[in-house]
Amino acid sequence: MKRVLEPELMEVEAQVKAYAEADFEAPHSQFIERLRAFVDEPDFSGTALDLGCGPGDISRRFARAYPMSRVHAVDGSAAMINYGKLSTADELRPRINFIHGLLPAVSLPQANYDIIFSNSLLHHLPDPMVLWQVIKHYAGPGARIVIMDLLRPASIDEARAMVRAYAADEPDVLKRDFYQSLLAAFRMEEIAGQIAQAGLNLDIEQISDRHVFITGVTS
């Protein structure tokens, strides 16, 4: 099955609200658990970059997991950024800087970052190389890279079965978004080709029937 592009940004308020209130506890918890196992530095006190932060749930989880850290959280949707700001508890606000801007043109406060992470951004991008080039540009020496995203199923029928299996109780807007995201995602071999083209040395692992997890340390 060939890739089918979906809209790059979630800008409609109802769509943003549905996404922000959806039950992503399992995948988001898994993301942070795997990130913590890879980084393995409880006292990390540098600045992390969250690319495609959406409404900020994973940025907040990261900030709680690393109480001495700071996070620059970037998203191209103004509605997502606004929701993220409003949903962040007072004690976390000084450490999370929500930044509205499209990659790769967004202006970031730092030249490089100690940790760069991203969850479910890659499949939204019309040009996937944007993500890898931004990572390459903003990763400082020894930066830890952690990426999780969807994998494209082999067929339309398989994509529909995944929606029934994993989004049966979600609102219709989320069922539609999940289906479109599956069709817009990449295959393992495509992601491997992108990473090689970018000149990055990253490890790729399929961790479920629909998720890929990518890690590495920059030189």
Side-chain angles (χ1 to χ4, degrees):
M1 182 175 65
K2 291 184 178 180
R3 185 188 188 210
V4 180
L5 286 175
E6 67 173 343
E8 184 175 358
L9 301 176
M10 291 187 186
E11 294 280 16
V12 179
E13 193 65 36
Q15 184 185 28
V16 171
K17 187 173 186 293
Y19 183 87
E21 295 177 356
D23 182 11
F24 291 120
E25 175 62 32
H28 287 189
S29 293
Q30 183 184 45
F31 180 89
I32 291 296
E33 287 170 8
R34 286 178 174 272
L35 185 152
R36 291 177 72 176
F38 177 69
V39 172
D40 194 22
E41 190 182 337
D43 295 330
F44 172 74
S45 59
T47 305
L49 176 62
D50 182 359
L51 297 172
C53 66
D57 182 56
I58 287 183
S59 291
R60 290 186 288 273
R61 289 173 185 262
F62 181 93
R64 291 190 183 99
Y66 296 94
M68 299 174 66
S69 70
R70 296 172 301 282
V71 183
H72 291 169
V74 179
D75 202 273
S77 165
M80 283 290 191
I81 289 294
N82 289 337
Y83 202 101
K85 290 177 179 178
L86 292 172
S87 302
T88 299
D90 289 345
E91 66 268 20
L92 293 180
R93 286 181 181 176
R95 295 197 291 119
I96 303 177
N97 180 11
F98 286 98
I99 301 166
H100 176 229
L102 281 174
L103 303 181
V106 63
S107 177
L108 298 180
Q110 294 185 191
N112 52 60
Y113 291 85
D114 306 299
I115 297 174
I116 299 178
F117 62 90
S118 177
N119 176 60
S120 295
L121 171 63
L122 182 61
H123 70 266
H124 282 289
L125 299 171
D127 178 6
M129 295 308 298
V130 166
L131 175 61
W132 308 116
Q133 294 297 344
V134 166
I135 288 172
K136 193 171 182 179
H137 181 79
Y138 284 102
R144 278 67 61 86
I145 311 300
V146 180
I147 309 293
M148 189 164 82
D149 213 282
L150 292 171
L151 288 169
R152 189 170 74 249
S155 68
I156 293 288
D157 288 342
E158 191 175 327
R160 289 172 175 161
M162 285 184 176
V163 174
R164 290 193 297 270
Y166 302 117
D169 297 328
E170 298 293 351
D172 287 344
V173 64
L174 280 186
K175 291 178 184 177
R176 183 198 67 205
D177 287 346
F178 181 41
Y179 176 73
Q180 290 179 340
S181 291
L182 288 169
L183 268 55
F186 294 95
R187 305 287 289 174
M188 288 281 286
E189 63 272 15
E190 293 170 336
I191 296 171
Q194 295 162 15
I195 291 170
Q197 184 180 335
L200 291 166
N201 183 22
L202 303 176
D203 295 321
I204 312 171
E205 177 187 3
Q206 182 169 344
I207 58 172
S208 78
D209 61 347
R210 64 200 184 282
H211 288 112
V212 61
F213 199 74
I214 303 161
T215 55
V217 179
T218 58
S219 56

